[in-house]
Amino acid sequence: MQHPTDIHQAALDCITTDNPDEKLRKTQATAAAWEQGELTPSDTAPAPVPIPQPGRPPRPELVAPGCVPKRGVNTPRQRAALIHALAHIEFNAINLAWDAVYRFRGLPRAFYDDWVVVAADEARHFAMLRRRLRELDHDYGDFAAHNGLWEAAAATSHDLAARMALVPRVLEARGLDVTGEIEQRLRRAGDPATADIVAAIEQEEVAHVRAGTRWFRHGSAQQGLDPHATFFDLINRLAHGRIKGPFNREARLRAGFTPRELEELERWSDSR
């Protein structure tokens, strides 16, 4: 079988792969091939098509967000459920990064550099969390999960600025606000091994949200739009104005949010 030389088709192959181990293997191989110059964007690649669901194993069962198990830390099973929820986020994030590479065409090479690196990072994060889950006698698929991240990707497949606003700058940025508290709760519960994994992931997620900020602004500029006004318009339309606080100001500033944006986010959160 001939291997693709086009990064868009290689990204699609990663997205549509069902088996988690194979998805990780393909992600690592694709990232290495991109770095070595073996893959390039192609002007003649087939146009992107909608992907209702990415490749995923039969489990976990996907349920409404309110039906996902509570994420406590006091018992081994509660901690396993929490780790599973984080692993599911990272699994989806692999697909989201590759979807950005697959879907958005004709952008500077730096765009593809960023999202190939993000895909490889998310694969490594998933592997770390799954390994820890197995140490607690569980595995990925043992708990129900929801599909909110991919639904957000499908809703923004038409517009680079919308994708970068809703996925990295709203949904993934929320992780910057909550993971510090999760880490501390795990340490208080006597689980430093999981806490160390969460802390390591948090540091890299800042760079991922920062990439989202960079390309959100690029997408806004392409359309001649003011990024500040556009961001809040997109939140209102795509996230129905639902913004949760409190916000980790230091992490969000490092991720490219401006003080003005943070002030307005805090006003939105306080008023809802």
Side-chain angles (χ1 to χ4, degrees):
M1 177 179 175
Q2 185 176 5
H3 293 285
T5 58
D6 165 38
I7 188 61
H8 306 303
Q9 292 305 109
L12 179 62
D13 188 31
C14 292
I15 295 166
T16 55
T17 295
D18 296 330
N19 181 276
D21 292 324
E22 186 67 5
K23 192 183 292 282
L24 297 188
R25 187 195 66 76
K26 287 185 177 181
T27 292
Q28 292 162 355
T30 302
W34 171 259
E35 185 176 350
Q36 293 161 14
E38 298 170 7
L39 292 167
T40 58
S42 170
D43 294 335
T44 61
V49 298
I51 303 175
Q53 290 293 337
R56 55 180 299 272
R59 299 171 63 238
E61 176 190 7
L62 297 181
V63 298
C67 298
V68 173
K70 299 294 183 182
R71 302 171 186 175
V73 297
N74 293 325
T75 69
R77 182 173 176 80
Q78 285 179 328
R79 290 195 293 277
L82 171 62
I83 296 165
H84 188 278
L86 298 174
H88 184 66
I89 290 169
E90 300 296 336
F91 186 81
N92 273 282
I94 302 168
N95 292 321
L96 288 165
W98 283 130
D99 191 69
V101 173
Y102 168 67
R103 189 158 306 286
F104 299 111
R105 310 290 175 88
L107 290 162
R109 183 180 177 88
F111 175 84
Y112 305 108
D113 285 337
D114 278 348
W115 295 105
V116 169
V117 167
V118 171
D121 286 350
E122 306 293 20
R124 185 161 33 79
H125 297 170
F126 174 78
M128 292 163 62
L129 289 162
R130 191 181 191 189
R131 188 159 50 246
R132 180 63 182 144
L133 199 55
R134 286 169 165 170
E135 290 171 357
L136 296 176
D137 297 322
H138 287 278
D139 201 353
Y140 181 58
D142 285 357
F143 300 88
H146 68 79
N147 203 32
L149 272 173
W150 190 257
E151 290 169 359
T156 56
S157 61
H158 62 292
D159 184 322
L160 174 65
R163 167 67 63 85
M164 296 294 131
L166 184 60
V167 177
R169 301 198 88 224
V170 172
L171 299 177
E172 294 184 29
R174 185 62 187 150
L176 304 183
D177 303 327
V178 302
T179 49
E181 179 187 354
I182 291 171
E183 177 197 346
Q184 293 307 312
R185 288 170 60 206
L186 287 163
R187 293 197 191 283
R188 289 194 297 269
D191 189 350
T194 304
D196 288 346
I197 293 171
V198 170
I201 289 173
E202 180 186 17
Q203 291 305 307
E204 292 189 344
E205 292 296 341
V206 169
H208 300 174
V209 178
R210 187 165 60 242
T213 295
R214 179 162 50 252
W215 296 107
F216 163 70
R217 290 177 181 154
H218 180 92
S220 297
Q222 280 185 317
Q223 300 178 58
L225 300 173
D226 172 68
H228 183 88
T230 300
F231 181 54
F232 288 94
D233 176 62
L234 288 167
I235 291 175
N236 198 41
R237 289 193 289 112
L238 298 173
H240 310 293
R242 292 194 295 266
I243 296 294
K244 293 181 180 180
F247 303 103
N248 183 335
R249 289 184 63 89
E250 185 272 335
R252 282 180 177 255
L253 286 169
R254 287 194 290 126
F257 283 81
T258 67
R260 183 184 172 204
E261 284 177 323
L262 289 172
E263 289 165 8
E264 188 154 346
L265 282 171
E266 286 165 352
R267 284 197 297 271
W268 276 47
S269 177
D270 290 343
S271 66
R272 285 164 169 76

